[in-house]
Amino acid sequence: GAGVSQSPSNKVTEKGKDVELRCDPISGHTALYWYRQSLGQGLEFLIYFQGNSAPDKSGLPSDRFSAERTGGSVSTLTIQRTQQEDSAVYLCASSDWLPVDTEAFFGQGTRLTVV
Amino acid sequence: GQNIDQPTEMTATEGAIVQINCTYQTSGFNGLFWYQQHAGEAPTFLSYNVLDGLEEKGRFSSFLSRSKGYSYLLLKELQMKDSASYLCAVRADRGSTLGRLYFGRGTQLTVWP
């Protein structure tokens, strides 16, 4: 596609339910990032995929959070047993990666509200 | 570890010039990026520096000093639409974090008429 696509754009869920957030990166991009952003806050790193390397999961806040990337393309971020503090905008970004500069392109995000 | 610092807020007047500073301490370095983020929107790319010096793109310029771990974003001829958060990000170059972007918390710029 022309850009990074995330779905759904908005998600309201009840506390304790599981949610899945989807990210379709730009075709051919080998790097994929997940961040989350609470209202008025900066970007909090969650997880980073780069090619076939093991993902960098160091930013996942708890074992309720997991992510996978199938076939080196689409990624799904899963939050189990959602809590109210999980409410935030979840942003996905992708970039090509060569030994030269390439910027990351962001999707429009999924706004998650846990009630 | 990685540490990226930038001021939380800045204000300026329409038509003026503003400089947003960013200092970083990272275990590896493979480029510094500036992003702009309007409220409720996704960040968009503004500029990239990997070598020391100034990169100019229209009203926006970005400077890098690797030895000092310092960058700034310079915005000239400010317009109301420049009111946004400006994010500094450093790309890592080592080990398992190769290529990963580390973001600062962002500087909220308000432009007054």
Side-chain angles (χ1 to χ4, degrees), chain B residues 55-90:
Chain B
E55 294 284 339
E56 298 188 75
K57 291 175 73 174
R59 294 190 299 115
F60 293 1
S61 302
S62 57
F63 172 84
L64 175 67
S65 169
R66 289 172 295 170
S67 62
K68 296 181 179 179
Y70 168 69
S71 173
Y72 68 72
L73 180 68
L74 192 70
L75 293 78
K76 304 176 185 175
E77 302 169 15
L78 280 173
Q79 302 174 9
M80 299 292 288
K81 66 178 182 179
D82 297 329
S83 292
S85 180
Y86 291 85
L87 305 168
C88 173
V90 173

Side-chain angles (χ1 to χ4, degrees), chain A residues 4 9 46-47 57 74:
Chain A
V4 178
S9 54
L46 296 177
I47 189 168
K57 304 180 181 180
V74 172

Side-chain angles (χ1 to χ4, degrees), chain A residues 33 35 37 41-43 45 48 50 56 58 91 95 97 101-104 106-108, chain B residues 30 33 35 37 40-43 45 48 87 91 96-101 103-105:
Chain A
Y33 315 77
Y35 294 88
Q37 188 172 36
Q41 301 299 309
L43 296 179
F45 168 76
Y48 167 58
Q50 174 55 270
D56 178 352
S58 61
L91 290 164
S95 69
W97 190 77
D101 59 289
T102 52
E103 68 268 30
F106 282 83
Q108 290 301 306
Chain B
N30 192 24
F33 298 79
Y35 282 80
Q37 185 179 26
E41 298 182 9
F45 169 76
Y48 170 79
L87 305 168
R91 171 167 281 164
S96 62
T97 61
L98 184 61
R100 177 180 151 182
L101 284 175
F103 280 87
R105 298 183 65 80

Side-chain angles (χ1 to χ4, degrees), chain A residues 63-115:
Chain A
D63 58 8
R64 297 186 295 106
F65 288 73
S66 63
E68 62 177 22
R69 188 177 185 192
T70 54
S73 182
V74 172
S75 178
T76 302
L77 177 69
T78 301
I79 308 173
Q80 296 178 313
R81 306 181 302 281
T82 52
Q83 303 295 313
Q84 288 186 328
E85 61 262 29
D86 300 334
S87 296
V89 175
Y90 288 80
L91 290 164
C92 174
S94 73
S95 69
D96 198 354
W97 190 77
L98 302 170
V100 294
D101 59 289
T102 52
E103 68 268 30
F105 296 85
F106 282 83
Q108 290 301 306
T110 294
R111 182 176 298 279
L112 175 67
T113 304
V114 182
V115 298

